[in-house]
Amino acid sequence: MSAQVLDNAVTLRRCKLVRVAADGAVAEYIFDQPVVTLGASDDNDLVIDDDKVSRDHARIFQEGDEFLIEDLQSTNGTFVNHVRVRVAWLKSGCEIRLGSTQLRFSLLNQRVEISPSQRQALGSIVGKSERMRRLFTIVEKIAPTGATVVLEGETGTGKEVVARTIHQFSSRSNNTFIVFDCGAVQQNLIESELFGHEKGSFTGALSARQGLFEMAQGGTIFLDEIGELALDLQPKLLRALEQREIRRVGGNRPIKIDVRVVAATNRDLVAEVEAGRFREDLFYRLSVVRMHLPPLRERREDVPLLVRHILKTGGFNRTDDGQRVKGITTSALESLMRYEWPGNVRELTNVVERACSFAEGEFIQLEDLPDHIAGVTVSQSRGARQATEPLRPTGAVVHSDRSFKDAKEQWLSRFEKEYLETLLNKHSGNLSQAAREASVDRKHFRRLARKYDLVAGPKKS
């Protein structure tokens, strides 16, 4: 199945095979998945009981919006409109013959209107803006299918949350959901992580080991930052998606897999394909359904709802009696809604957690927010009361002329500087790697680093 997501509708493309038996009986099969296998073996999508059909005879797959059939080196061949083919395009109404079995192929285009859902939450996704409510509708439509999904959007927009929700509302919800970050693992280890390895396949492989695809059998695997995957690994992922089988590193035996793939990226994959950094065939195979998650600055009306959700569900705000901080003042909320949120929902979550640690009552106040969000007025009033000597991050001494909030703010500033400095040193000044390890948007990380004069550029306050 392929799906083109538009503003008001999603067009689903599925294929139908009609089989006419010798006695005239007609059977119809409709397939949602991007690859359909045909053969005599029981693990095929369409099992054909025909002595002239090979165990793994042929497969039908998608190339962009089109469908093709490929013969899998069968004994008696695959025929399309009476012509034997190795690979051929399929059009609606064409005849396929495998052995003595006749099939008729059809395309099913279903236009589904995307009306905004009445929900303000779906799974763990929260939002009342029209864009988010349309996203809820799309997730509800595609989650029950086996469609591969690509989630696009800036860092911190909640792509993993959407992936988990797709899994939650699918028929695989009782099985495993596995997350793999393609940008967080050394490239030479990714193949072994995804596909496993056999004993002795490389130095240190002291025993055979399952990969994540095997571990996710029957469930969903979420491939985060798919745009970071090296070119030499992309054909192996493509094979797993097309053939629905993998081979362990150092192994020759194919292992059948039944895994749904949801991928995510903050890159423009179309531009990556044009630049030659991402395979076009893999892009089409992944992009059965493509969904774009809007940045938080484009749905500011969701901020109050998100703040309430974070306060309610955040473990940092839980006590034996329920929530420690119950809400947020109007002035503080207005400041949150004015802010641009380069780190999106992830940054909002961190800001709310930090504000809760400063809050002395049941409501977050304006002065509990970071200076760059609360504004210069709060910054000046707080700075006028701060002592000239910075506190140590550890073993801090509390002076009688310093309030709890001021002492904690000063401690946190020192901590921020030392934390950023340590990460930058660890990664030899590489901002991208340091930001990734810190789980912070690169632009925000750079802004903080400039604030403490740790990188070149205009100092940010």
Side-chain angles (χ1 to χ4, degrees), residues 38-86:
L38 307 95
S41 175
D42 289 340
D43 57 3
N44 284 288
D45 297 307
L46 180 56
V47 179
I48 301 175
D49 186 11
D50 183 333
D51 291 341
K52 296 182 179 179
V53 171
S54 300
R55 289 180 56 81
D56 298 305
H57 196 107
R59 69 185 183 107
I60 295 172
F61 63 98
Q62 288 180 255
E63 188 74 42
D65 287 336
E66 303 295 335
F67 285 81
L68 297 89
I69 189 167
E70 179 185 12
D71 182 76
L72 301 178
Q73 298 181 335
S74 65
T75 302
N76 295 309
T78 298
F79 294 79
V80 175
N81 292 336
H82 309 294
V83 177
R84 184 166 183 168
V85 300
R86 188 179 67 82

Side-chain angles (χ1 to χ4, degrees), residues 90-108:
L90 294 176
K91 303 296 182 184
S92 282
C94 68
E95 300 288 338
I96 300 171
R97 180 166 64 84
L98 311 179
S100 301
T101 301
Q102 297 285 345
L103 301 168
R104 186 169 66 251
F105 174 86
S106 298
L107 278 175
L108 298 178

Side-chain angles (χ1 to χ4, degrees), residues 3 33 113 161 186 195 207 211 217 233 264 325 348 366 433 439 453:
Q33 67 265 31
E113 296 298 325
V161 173
Q186 294 181 32
F195 307 128
S207 61
Q217 194 73 264
L233 293 173
V325 176
L348 175 63
L366 183 62
Q433 292 179 10
S439 297
D453 293 322

Side-chain angles (χ1 to χ4, degrees), residues 168-331:
Q168 178 185 341
F169 283 82
S170 75
S171 60
R172 302 172 178 268
S173 58
N174 292 328
N175 295 320
T176 308
F177 179 88
I178 288 181
V179 178
F180 180 75
D181 188 341
C182 299
V185 178
Q186 294 181 32
Q187 293 291 331
N188 63 334
L189 298 178
I190 289 180
E191 184 179 359
S192 174
E193 287 290 317
L194 289 178
F195 307 128
H197 61 255
E198 299 291 355
K199 180 179 178 180
S201 57
F202 55 84
T203 303
L206 302 180
S207 61
R209 178 177 177 273
Q210 282 189 332
L212 295 180
F213 271 93
E214 286 183 75
M215 295 168 63
Q217 194 73 264
T220 303
I221 186 167
F222 174 56
L223 301 178
D224 199 7
E225 300 301 343
I226 190 69
E228 304 291 334
L229 194 65
L231 270 172
D232 61 334
L233 293 173
Q234 292 177 21
K236 296 171 183 178
L237 176 58
L238 178 63
R239 176 181 175 82
L241 294 172
E242 287 187 336
Q243 304 287 352
R244 285 192 286 176
E245 66 180 29
I246 55 96
R247 283 188 173 87
R248 293 179 180 176
V249 176
N252 295 317
R253 179 176 62 91
I255 300 171
K256 290 290 184 180
I257 55 170
D258 174 23
V259 177
R260 183 183 197 166
V261 174
V262 179
T265 180
N266 59 12
R267 294 191 179 193
D268 181 346
L269 285 186
V270 174
E272 293 296 298
V273 169
E274 292 174 351
R277 292 188 292 266
F278 202 84
R279 289 178 62 108
E280 184 176 21
D281 48 5
L282 178 58
F283 169 73
Y284 284 127
R285 190 66 66 246
L286 288 168
S287 302
V288 177
V289 177
R290 290 173 65 196
M291 298 169 59
H292 182 80
L293 277 61
L296 187 54
R297 63 183 174 275
E298 294 180 6
R299 57 181 186 108
R300 296 176 194 267
E301 62 267 44
D302 290 337
V303 170
L305 193 65
L306 285 164
V307 170
R308 289 197 296 271
H309 176 74
I310 294 165
L311 289 174
K312 182 179 180 180
T313 60
F316 58 84
N317 194 36
R318 305 299 300 172
T319 68
D320 293 339
D321 300 324
Q323 293 178 218
R324 185 180 72 82
V325 176
K326 302 293 193 296
I328 184 170
T329 63
T330 300
S331 59

